Amino acid sequence: MPFGLKLRRTRRYNVLSKNCFVTRIRLLDSNVIECTLSVESTGQECLEAVAQRLELRETHYFGLWFLSKSQQARWVELEKPLKKHLDKFSNEPLLFFGVMFYVPNVSWLQQEATRYQYYLQVKKDVLEGRLRCTLEQVIRLAGLAVQADFGDYNQFDSQDFLREYVLFPMDLALEEAVLEELTQKVAQEHKAHRTIMETVCTWAFSLWGFS
């Protein structure tokens, strides 16, 4: 533990000393990390700490958000001291990392890590029902997602693992037989790809209405 200080719990934060605190950040892959910050640290400093963990250089496309006391999503004002900001507006000291600014074309994203985070964002938005698309689009995106997450089709003896993988939006009610049929279509879509992340992002951008 930094500085050898004893960790003690308060109602809102893990406090290392009266000058430091620990906040949690949920990433786009659903993992949660912790950052140790000064009470004077800005949101930007927290964002940069997250970006360092992700080996992400193009931080200007991303931000941090939290749930307000009224359970509304609210972006962190990056130039302000983070702890004061959270004390004033947040329900709990849990932050969420996400895409804040969208570019009109995937070619604007120079870093593979940036493209991967954009991919995670669009996949999350589709699965959680915030980004609507047709069933055909869902199947295509699912095939690309499997390619991005697991690699080429020919690495696997069977596609049974797809049954344990979340492929379709959570609010899409499907009977078991229909789900099996769609899963097989996703497997065929996966088989057709030998793709890279740029291909995934380019198609994902079409869902946002960009070219």
Side-chain angles (χ1 to χ4, degrees):
M1 189 175 299
F3 315 117
L5 296 175
K6 186 177 180 181
L7 179 69
R8 62 184 178 85
R9 265 215 178 293
T10 68
R11 182 175 64 86
R12 292 180 57 78
Y13 297 99
N14 290 333
V15 180
L16 299 174
S17 78
K18 64 182 179 181
N19 296 318
C20 297
F21 74 103
V22 177
T23 191
R24 295 173 298 139
I25 302 98
R26 187 177 298 278
L27 305 177
L28 287 169
D29 62 4
S30 296
N31 285 321
V32 176
I33 62 173
E34 291 187 341
C35 284
T36 303
L37 301 164
S38 161
V39 294
E40 300 300 325
S41 294
T42 63
Q44 183 65 40
E45 289 174 89
C46 183
L47 178 61
E48 289 173 359
V50 173
Q52 187 175 23
R53 301 267 190 104
L54 298 174
E55 300 183 345
L56 191 64
R57 296 190 302 274
E58 296 174 287
T59 58
H60 44 284
Y61 297 127
F62 300 92
L64 300 167
W65 60 275
F66 59 89
L67 289 176
S68 70
K69 294 175 182 178
S70 60
Q71 294 299 298
Q72 298 297 311
R74 176 170 179 156
W75 289 103
V76 169
E77 296 178 40
L78 296 176
E79 73 282 1
K80 293 185 177 180
L82 180 61
K83 187 174 185 301
K84 290 181 180 178
H85 196 57
L86 293 178
D87 283 344
K88 185 175 181 179
F89 298 110
S90 74
N91 188 47
E92 62 173 323
L94 173 65
L95 296 172
F96 298 84
F97 172 80
V99 175
M100 191 174 187
F101 300 107
Y102 295 95
V103 296
N105 192 292
V106 67
S107 65
W108 288 30
L109 305 178
Q110 299 300 309
Q111 193 185 7
E112 186 78 0
T114 308
R115 294 171 181 169
Y116 182 63
Q117 294 302 321
Y118 266 73
Y119 153 70
L120 289 177
Q121 182 73 72
V122 73
K123 183 174 78 167
K124 184 178 180 68
D125 288 349
V126 168
L127 293 179
E128 295 181 359
R130 287 188 297 274
L131 186 58
R132 297 291 180 178
C133 48
T134 66
L135 193 56
E136 181 179 293
Q137 289 174 320
V138 167
I139 291 169
R140 188 174 181 197
L141 183 59
L144 288 166
V146 173
Q147 170 69 29
D149 292 345
F150 296 102
D152 289 346
Y153 178 93
N154 59 15
Q155 294 184 66
F156 301 93
D157 294 331
S158 77
Q159 300 298 295
D160 289 345
F161 73 95
L162 292 179
R163 296 185 178 89
E164 306 300 322
Y165 187 65
V166 179
L167 297 169
F168 308 109
M170 296 174 184
D171 60 353
L172 191 62
L174 298 171
E175 295 180 358
E176 188 171 346
V178 176
L179 180 62
E180 179 64 26
E181 179 184 352
L182 294 180
T183 300
Q184 291 305 313
K185 289 183 178 180
V186 170
Q188 291 304 309
E189 185 74 27
H190 179 208
K191 186 176 182 180
H193 294 301
R194 298 290 185 274
T195 190
I196 57 175
M197 189 55 60
E198 183 172 0
T199 305
V200 177
C201 283
T202 298
W203 190 79
F205 269 43
S206 70
L207 291 179
W208 283 316
F210 299 130
S211 57

